[in-house]
Amino acid sequence: MQLSLIPQLKHTDSNNFFLLAGPCAIEGEEMALRIAEKVVAITDDLKIPYVFKGSFKKANRSRIDSFTGIGDEKALKILKKVSETFDVPTITDIHTEQDAVMAAQYVDVLQIPAFLARQTDLIVAAAKTGRTVNIKKGQFMSPESMKHAVTKVKESDNEKVWITDRGTMFGYQDMVVDFRSIPTMKQYAPVVLDVTHSLQQPNQSSGVTGGRPALIGTMARAGIAAGVDGLFMETHFDPANAKSDGANMLDLSLLEKLLQDLVAIRATINNL
């Protein structure tokens, strides 16, 4: 699909990778606007097409007392305010067909979580909203099987679909990215690499997900070198106190240097 089909997406002619970035979950208006302001400034300077990411609710939690959100409509209105304030598109994940219809009124891209990548009714509902659909590859799925997930969107009269790789589960508490998957899935749709969730260490004994954020730069650089079309990363100005997935988020203060490096790598790849 053409990036130019996404409303408000800038720098689509820069020949850069595109970026989906923001906090794991919307914790409040001030934090969302603060993160968006910083990332918009950096991506405008580097000419990176940018979509602000924030989950309006978190349905996949290990423990019943984990943070799940501030209220669906409240969080969605904050996402809409981010879009209107900074003139950028937004993306959020959905978990039910009802979520698809509701969220499509506020955001530009609907994301199918990895653990729901085989849910036909959910994917079709997302596709029928007319929004771009970003399907995360299930940790249990082969890259070849993602062809069928993409087909569900396209056969619902929607050509606007991406695939995001977030690693494959090996063992009980770790994931590995197989970079051979990138060219395979690019045959079906543009491919994004989720560089933060692929470094998660889920389902720890405490019921709180761990992670290896020190390797975010390594993962992102490898993804660009492997030819991904876009990168997904969660970032926060205070990861240690984030209400969701703080253990594998990138500190916002480190984002600019990392993106500068990635743009340089992309420029080199483009010239090969």
Side-chain angles (χ1 to χ4, degrees), residues 1 3 6 9 11 14-21 43 47-51 91 111 134-136 161-166 177 179 181-183 185-186 189-196 198 216 219-234 258-259 262-263 266 269-270:
M1 66 162 282
L3 288 179
I6 298 177
L9 190 62
H11 313 302
S14 65
N15 207 18
N16 245 327
F17 57 90
F18 61 92
L19 178 67
L20 316 176
T43 53
K47 303 294 187 290
I48 298 172
Y50 172 54
V51 181
I91 177 173
Q111 181 164 280
N134 181 36
I135 309 174
K136 286 197 168 184
V161 57
W162 301 330
I163 301 169
T164 291
D165 194 349
R166 58 148 302 161
V177 172
F179 287 95
S181 301
I182 305 302
M185 293 190 294
K186 285 183 69 169
V191 174
V192 180
L193 177 62
D194 183 340
V195 299
T196 48
S198 61
I216 290 172
M219 188 67 68
R221 293 180 183 95
I224 295 297
V228 295
D229 300 288
L231 291 176
F232 176 110
M233 61 180 75
E234 291 182 340
L258 175 57
L259 290 179
L262 297 176
V263 168
R266 176 60 178 246
I269 296 296
N270 288 342

Side-chain angles (χ1 to χ4, degrees), residues 200-227:
Q200 271 188 340
Q201 295 176 311
N203 300 323
Q204 302 294 299
S205 58
S206 65
V208 178
T209 293
R212 303 182 69 187
L215 293 176
I216 290 172
T218 299
M219 188 67 68
R221 293 180 183 95
I224 295 297

Side-chain angles (χ1 to χ4, degrees), residues 63-199:
R63 293 176 12 182
I64 196 168
D65 60 348
S66 295
F67 174 79
T68 59
I70 60 174
D72 294 356
E73 188 174 14
K74 183 177 180 179
L76 286 167
K77 285 182 176 179
I78 290 171
L79 283 163
K80 187 171 184 179
K81 183 165 185 177
V82 167
S83 179
E84 293 172 346
T85 301
F86 299 104
D87 194 27
V88 293
T90 54
I91 177 173
T92 198
D93 24 15
I94 58 172
H95 306 88
T96 67
E97 296 100 284
Q98 292 77 19
D99 282 354
V101 175
M102 177 174 59
Q105 300 176 59
Y106 297 90
V107 302
D108 304 286
V109 184
L110 300 177
Q111 181 164 280
I112 309 297
F115 69 103
L116 295 175
R118 286 174 54 90
Q119 296 297 103
T120 300
D121 288 349
L122 177 62
I123 293 174
V124 170
K128 287 185 174 180
T129 67
R131 298 301 192 188
T132 299
V133 181
N134 181 36
I135 309 174
K136 286 197 168 184
K137 183 182 81 65
Q139 301 94 322
F140 47 86
M141 294 173 69
S142 70
E144 290 81 5
S145 65
M146 289 304 295
K147 176 180 181 179
H148 306 298
V150 169
T151 298
K152 291 174 184 178
V153 177
K154 292 184 175 181
E155 291 191 352
S156 300
D157 297 319
N158 189 340
E159 295 291 322
K160 297 181 291 185
V161 57
W162 301 330
I163 301 169
T164 291
D165 194 349
R166 58 148 302 161
T168 300
M169 188 71 76
F170 285 88
Y172 290 99
Q173 295 178 339
D174 207 0
M175 285 175 287
V176 174
V177 172
D178 181 354
F179 287 95
R180 297 174 301 176
S181 301
I182 305 302
T184 297
M185 293 190 294
K186 285 183 69 169
Q187 298 175 71
Y188 318 136
V191 174
V192 180
L193 177 62
D194 183 340
V195 299
T196 48
H197 285 106
S198 61
L199 292 167

Side-chain angles (χ1 to χ4, degrees), residues 38 42 213 235 250-259:
K38 179 70 171 178
I42 295 169
T235 184
L250 180 71
D251 192 301
L252 188 59
S253 66
L254 303 176
L255 181 65
E256 184 169 16
K257 178 60 168 63
L258 175 57
L259 290 179

Side-chain angles (χ1 to χ4, degrees), residues 42-62:
I42 295 169
T43 53
D44 277 348
D45 183 58
L46 295 173
K47 303 294 187 290
I48 298 172
Y50 172 54
V51 181
F52 177 85
K53 183 269 167 187
S55 297
F56 77 94
K57 71 177 174 184
K58 305 299 296 183
N60 181 24
R61 303 289 87 184
S62 296

